[in-house]
Amino acid sequence: MKEENFLFILFSYIKNHIKTIIIYCIFILTFLLVFSLYSLETEAIAYAFILSANIGIIFSFYDFIKYYKKHKALCILKNQISTNLIKIPLSKNLIELDYQDILKILYDEKIEIASTADNKETEMLDYYTLWVHQIKTPIAAMRLLLQSENNNQNKELSTELFKIEQYVEMVLGYLRIENSSSDLVFQNYNLSEIIKQGIRKYANIFIKKSITLDLKEIDCNVLTDEKWLVFVIEQILSNALKYTNKGKISIYMDDNEEKTLVIEDTGIGIEKEDLPRVFEKGFTGYNGRMNKKSTGIGLYLCKKILNKLSHKITITSEVGVFTKVKIDFSSIKTIIE
C-alpha cells in the first residue's frame, strides 16, 4: 500500500479512537497529579508515566494492526460485493454486527431483485425473438403475392415491405447484440465480398432512386465476423440511400489510412453540432426530426457491433455536400488460435 494511503489509515484510526486516547491521557494526568500531591519522588512518577505510556503504545499498535488488516480485507471485499458477501470480516462489536446484518438483508434483496429482473428480461427477449421469426413468414408470403403481378402499385408496396424487413432485422440485431460475444466467429474474409452482399440487398433502391454506385476495386482481407459486419455495412448503406436523393454513393479504401473502408454519399449531410452524438442511442439529430425517417438506433447498433469486433467507426460530414463513414479494420485486437 502506498505511503499516503497508510498515513490516511493511521489518521483515520487516530480520529476513530480520539475519545479513548483523550480519556487515557486524562487518567494518566490524574494519577500523576495524585502522585505529586502526595509528594512522591519524581523518579517514581516518571517511571509510572513511562510504564503506562509503553503499555498504551503496545496496545494501540496491536489494535492498529487489526484495524489495518480489517480495512484491507474490506477493500478486497468491495471488488467482490456484487457476487459474494460471505467473506465479510467477523466483528465482536455489537454496532458493527448490526450494520453487517443490515448489509446482508440489503444484499439478499438486491439478489432477489436482480434475479427477477433477469427473468423478466429473458422472457421479453424470448418473446420478441419469437415474434421476429414469426413475422418473417407473413412478410415472405406478402412478397410472393406482390411478385405475382408486376405493376406500379405492387412495386411501391414491395418497397414498403422491404423497409418493414429492414426494421425487423434491426429489431433482431438489437436483441442479439447484448449477448453477441458467444455468437462471434472470427475469420479472415474478403472485404469486397462482404460489401457486395450489402449492395445486392439494396440494388432495387439504387435503381429506383437513380443513385449511382461508385464501387472501387477493394483488395483487402479483414479479420472479422461476417454476419455482423454485413449487418453494419447494410445499415450504413441504408442511411446513405435514405438521405441521398441524387448523386452517388462511393465505396473505396482510404489511401491515407491503412485498412480503412470509406462509404461516402452526396446526400443532405449531418449538422456539425449533431456529429458528436450520432452514435448515441435514440439520437435522431436535425435531419431525423425534419424528415421523420430516423429511429436513432441504426448507427448506435453499428458502433456497438464494431466495438465488439474491435473495429473503429468515424463519421465526417458537410451539410448539403457529403457524408463520409470510415471503418478502420487495422484496430483488431482479437487473437485467433
Side-chain angles (χ1 to χ4, degrees):
M1 184 170 286
K2 294 180 180 179
E3 183 179 353
E4 57 184 6
N5 291 336
F6 177 82
L7 291 175
F8 174 79
I9 297 170
L10 179 61
F11 288 133
S12 175
Y13 174 81
I14 293 172
K15 184 178 179 180
N16 192 42
H17 293 79
I18 190 67
K19 290 182 181 179
T20 304
I21 294 171
I22 291 172
I23 292 173
Y24 189 77
C25 291
I26 290 172
F27 286 166
I28 291 177
L29 291 173
T30 301
F31 279 103
L32 292 176
L33 180 61
V34 171
F35 289 163
S36 63
L37 289 175
Y38 279 87
S39 301
L40 295 178
E41 294 183 5
T42 305
E43 184 178 350
I45 297 173
Y47 180 76
F49 173 75
I50 293 171
L51 185 61
S52 300
N54 286 335
I55 293 172
I57 290 171
I58 292 171
F59 173 79
S60 298
F61 179 76
Y62 172 75
D63 192 53
F64 174 73
I65 293 298
K66 289 175 61 179
Y67 181 86
Y68 179 79
K69 288 181 177 179
K70 190 171 185 178
H71 172 73
K72 287 187 69 176
L74 289 172
C75 285
I76 294 171
L77 183 63
K78 279 194 293 186
N79 298 324
Q80 305 172 347
I81 195 70
S82 60
T83 56
N84 188 8
L85 199 63
I86 298 173
K87 295 182 180 179
I88 191 167
L90 296 176
S91 175
K92 297 179 181 179
N93 185 304
L94 181 61
I95 300 299
E96 282 192 10
L97 286 172
D98 290 337
Y99 278 121
Q100 287 184 10
D101 289 339
I102 293 170
L103 278 175
K104 288 175 182 176
I105 292 170
L106 291 174
Y107 178 77
D108 291 339
E109 289 183 359
K110 177 247 183 185
I111 292 297
E112 185 177 351
I113 292 170
S115 177
T116 303
D118 287 341
N119 290 335
K120 287 183 178 179
E121 184 178 1
T122 301
E123 289 176 3
M124 184 189 69
L125 289 174
D126 290 343
Y127 171 76
Y128 282 112
T129 302
L130 179 63
W131 178 86
V132 167
H133 288 293
Q134 287 180 332
I135 202 69
K136 287 182 177 182
T137 302
I139 288 174
M142 291 169 66
R143 182 164 298 284
L144 288 173
L145 290 171
L146 291 172
Q147 289 174 351
S148 63
E149 187 175 347
N150 189 14
N151 56 48
N152 290 332
Q153 183 180 8
N154 281 7
K155 287 181 180 178
E156 291 296 326
L157 289 173
S158 293
T159 301
E160 295 306 314
L161 187 61
F162 177 75
K163 292 178 182 177
I164 294 174
E165 287 180 301
Q166 283 184 277
Y167 289 128
V168 170
E169 289 297 326
M170 188 180 293
V171 170
L172 192 58
Y174 185 81
L175 293 173
R176 287 176 173 173
I177 187 61
E178 294 299 332
N179 300 311
S180 64
S181 297
S182 59
D183 191 37
L184 297 176
V185 180
F186 284 94
Q187 292 182 20
N188 279 300
Y189 293 97
N190 185 287
L191 184 56
S192 179
E193 292 301 319
I194 291 178
I195 294 168
K196 287 175 182 176
Q197 289 185 50
I199 292 172
R200 282 194 291 270
K201 182 174 180 177
Y202 291 96
N204 290 333
I205 308 297
F206 274 99
I207 295 168
K208 182 181 178 182
K209 298 189 72 172
S210 300
I211 304 293
T212 302
L213 173 64
D214 183 14
L215 177 61
K216 303 294 185 184
E217 184 178 351
I218 297 175
D219 184 16
C220 179
N221 290 323
V222 294
L223 183 61
T224 190
D225 179 274
E226 182 183 29
K227 181 183 71 176
W228 285 108
L229 184 57
V230 168
F231 179 87
V232 170
I233 298 294
E234 288 176 355
Q235 288 299 313
I236 295 171
L237 285 174
S238 174
N239 279 358
L241 288 165
K242 188 185 297 182
Y243 296 109
T244 303
N245 297 317
K246 61 180 180 179
K248 66 177 181 178
I249 294 175
S250 303
I251 305 176
Y252 56 92
M253 299 299 292
D254 194 327
D255 295 331
N256 299 319
E257 298 181 36
E258 182 185 0
K259 296 186 77 170
T260 298
L261 175 69
V262 181
I263 301 176
E264 181 179 358
D265 64 64
T266 57
I268 60 177
I270 303 172
E271 296 286 340
K272 185 177 180 181
E273 59 269 23
D274 289 341
L275 278 173
R277 299 186 61 193
V278 292
F279 297 114
E280 291 181 12
K281 182 180 179 181
F283 180 74
T284 58
Y286 176 80
N287 293 335
R289 292 189 295 272
M290 290 298 293
N291 295 281
K292 296 181 175 60
K293 295 179 180 178
S294 177
T295 60
I297 296 296
L299 287 177
Y300 162 78
L301 286 177
C302 289
K303 178 72 171 178
K304 200 156 190 177
I305 290 167
L306 290 174
N307 283 343
K308 287 180 178 289
L309 298 177
S310 293
H311 305 324
K312 293 180 182 177
I313 182 172
T314 55
I315 296 180
T316 56
S317 183
E318 186 177 335
V319 175
V321 182
F322 73 91
T323 297
K324 190 182 292 186
V325 180
K326 291 185 176 183
I327 303 176
D328 180 9
F329 296 102
S330 64
S331 58
I332 186 74
K333 297 177 182 178
T334 304
I335 299 174
I336 305 297
E337 295 183 358

